[in-house]
Amino acid sequence: MLWEYLRKVCLRECVSYSVSIKSSSGDRLAACIRGQGLPSLEIYALDNSGIQNSSKVSTRSSRHPSFDSSASRAEPRISLEAFDTPKAEVSSCKWSLCGTYIAVGRNDDRVDLFDSRFIKHGPVSRMFHGEPIKRTPWKSLWGITGLEWVEGAGNAQQALVSGGTDGQYYELPINTSDVRLQVVYDYGIYVMLTLFATSLPKWRRTSGVSQWAISANDKPHWSCE
Amino acid sequence: MIHRSLIDRDRVEVVDPAHKQHVSSLVWGSGPTGNTLFAGTMEDQASGSNGHIAVVSLRTDLITVMDRTQNIGEVDALGISPQGMS
């Protein structure tokens, strides 16, 4: 039954992923940075017109995307939660298909989901890999090995799928047409957080996936034990 | 170092060769102006060089580093937004 479900997801993803590749050229770049202090998630605005905003372009005026370096740092910028160990790092950073959410996977088993419109409010959802079975007990860090957004997962318009070296994958279905989700943003932060929590979908865990990847020809490949 | 192919002339340095920085993350962008590759680098503690993000433009006749950020720290991961979202 699991395999049948995964096969259906893969078939849908074959179509959706080719679409996402075609449109994967947006105007913003998310970067996960480690430096002195806490790690951070930074959003850079990319200037596709170049000439109109040439005063903000750090190097030559060009018709190519350039960093808006009018400020030395990107805006907005948010500090991520500190890693538990020095060797930890962010392993994956993926925008949702709708361009609203940013998923950050870390090799300390954590996935944080940010809303790009309210990124300074912190993650809107968080989950951990690693329970209950350690598939790789010799590793102190299991880690998130990959994040992918898929379209049309069940009743949701899109879902975030995270794979980890604990041999499991989780999915977070998100329905961006949820009226409550859209309306609450128009009201204050406190109202938004309360209502948002009630409308957030729950992570679902499925065992048995040992590895997964997107192949070079854009066709997702799942490997099940 | 970004290679477009195995031909030696089709390459560009995204880091200062004097610094032992490694490219830690890559992400593609494709807009109306052509293919663009964003490369994030690690820091080199020995030389005191922080990481940065380089914008590499790939055209049929030329590969160039069009832009790069200032030293920002070690770049773990990059993600490009879908087109038209802001």
Side-chain angles (χ1 to χ4, degrees):
Chain A
M1 186 174 179
L2 168 64
W3 174 248
E4 184 63 22
Y5 172 73
L6 289 176
R7 191 179 66 84
K8 291 180 179 177
V9 171
C10 289
L11 290 175
R12 281 195 296 263
E13 194 178 1
C14 287
V15 177
S16 63
Y17 195 74
S18 62
V19 174
S20 65
I21 286 292
K22 184 178 180 181
S23 61
S24 180
S25 57
D27 53 2
R28 288 185 296 171
L29 182 71
C32 297
I33 310 292
R34 271 184 303 144
Q36 295 180 347
L38 294 174
S40 61
L41 170 64
E42 306 183 359
I43 309 299
Y44 288 87
L46 302 177
D47 182 14
N48 285 301
S49 57
I51 296 174
Q52 293 179 2
N53 298 315
S54 58
S55 61
K56 296 182 179 179
V57 178
S58 63
T59 56
R60 62 197 68 89
S61 171
S62 70
R63 298 178 61 85
H64 294 268
S66 299
F67 289 101
D68 181 353
S69 56
S70 56
S72 58
R73 306 293 296 194
E75 291 291 345
R77 175 175 182 266
I78 185 175
S79 294
L80 300 175
E81 192 159 326
F83 294 111
D84 297 331
T85 65
K87 293 182 180 180
E89 62 185 25
V90 172
S91 56
S92 184
C93 177
K94 290 292 179 68
W95 288 77
S96 64
L97 303 177
C98 64
T100 301
Y101 299 99
I102 304 171
V104 175
R106 305 157 43 129
N107 70 352
D108 59 358
D109 291 332
R110 179 179 304 176
V111 180
D112 288 334
L113 182 68
F114 296 89
D115 188 324
S116 62
R117 299 165 296 183
F118 305 97
I119 194 168
K120 289 192 173 182
H121 297 159
V124 295
S125 181
R126 172 175 292 169
M127 61 86 64
F128 293 87
H129 272 236
E131 296 291 340
I133 302 173
K134 285 186 177 180
R135 299 296 179 91
T136 52
W138 60 89
K139 294 183 68 176
S140 59
L141 295 174
W142 304 339
I144 307 300
T145 56
L147 296 173
E148 287 296 341
W149 289 90
V150 296
E151 193 175 21
N155 294 326
Q157 290 182 342
Q158 58 183 333
L160 172 65
V161 180
S162 68
T165 53
D166 58 347
Q168 316 221 12
Y169 89 92
Y170 296 72
E171 63 176 2
L172 176 66
I174 293 178
N175 198 336
T176 53
S177 65
D178 189 327
V179 176
R180 291 174 299 173
L181 197 63
Q182 298 298 327
V183 171
V184 294
Y185 284 125
D186 292 336
Y187 300 92
I189 174 62
Y190 299 104
V191 175
M192 182 195 74
L193 286 178
T194 301
L195 295 180
F196 192 68
T198 62
S199 62
L200 262 183
K202 301 296 184 184
W203 286 88
R204 296 196 297 238
R205 186 184 68 197
T206 303
S207 303
V209 176
S210 59
Q211 58 180 322
W212 64 302
I214 303 297
S215 63
N217 59 357
D218 300 341
K219 294 181 179 178
H221 169 70
W222 298 76
S223 176
C224 298
E225 292 180 335
Chain B
M1 182 177 298
I2 306 298
H3 289 262
R4 181 169 61 177
S5 67
L6 296 179
I7 303 173
D8 197 49
R9 60 183 171 83
D10 290 335
R11 66 181 185 181
V12 63
E13 300 277 358
V14 298
V15 299
D16 186 344
H19 298 158
K20 296 180 180 179
Q21 290 176 309
H22 301 281
V23 174
S24 55
S25 55
L26 291 169
V27 64
W28 285 102
S30 58
T33 55
N35 291 331
T36 307
L37 181 66
F38 300 92
T41 71
M42 302 174 69
E43 61 184 0
D44 176 29
Q45 295 181 347
S47 62
S49 301
N50 289 323
H52 64 270
I53 303 172
V55 184
V56 181
S57 171
L58 292 94
R59 291 180 290 183
T60 56
D61 58 339
L62 187 64
I63 299 178
T64 56
V65 176
M66 299 304 297
D67 199 0
R68 70 180 72 207
T69 65
Q70 299 177 5
N71 295 334
I72 56 175
E74 197 152 303
V75 181
D76 277 346
L78 295 174
I80 191 82
S81 68
Q83 191 169 21
M85 301 297 176
S86 62

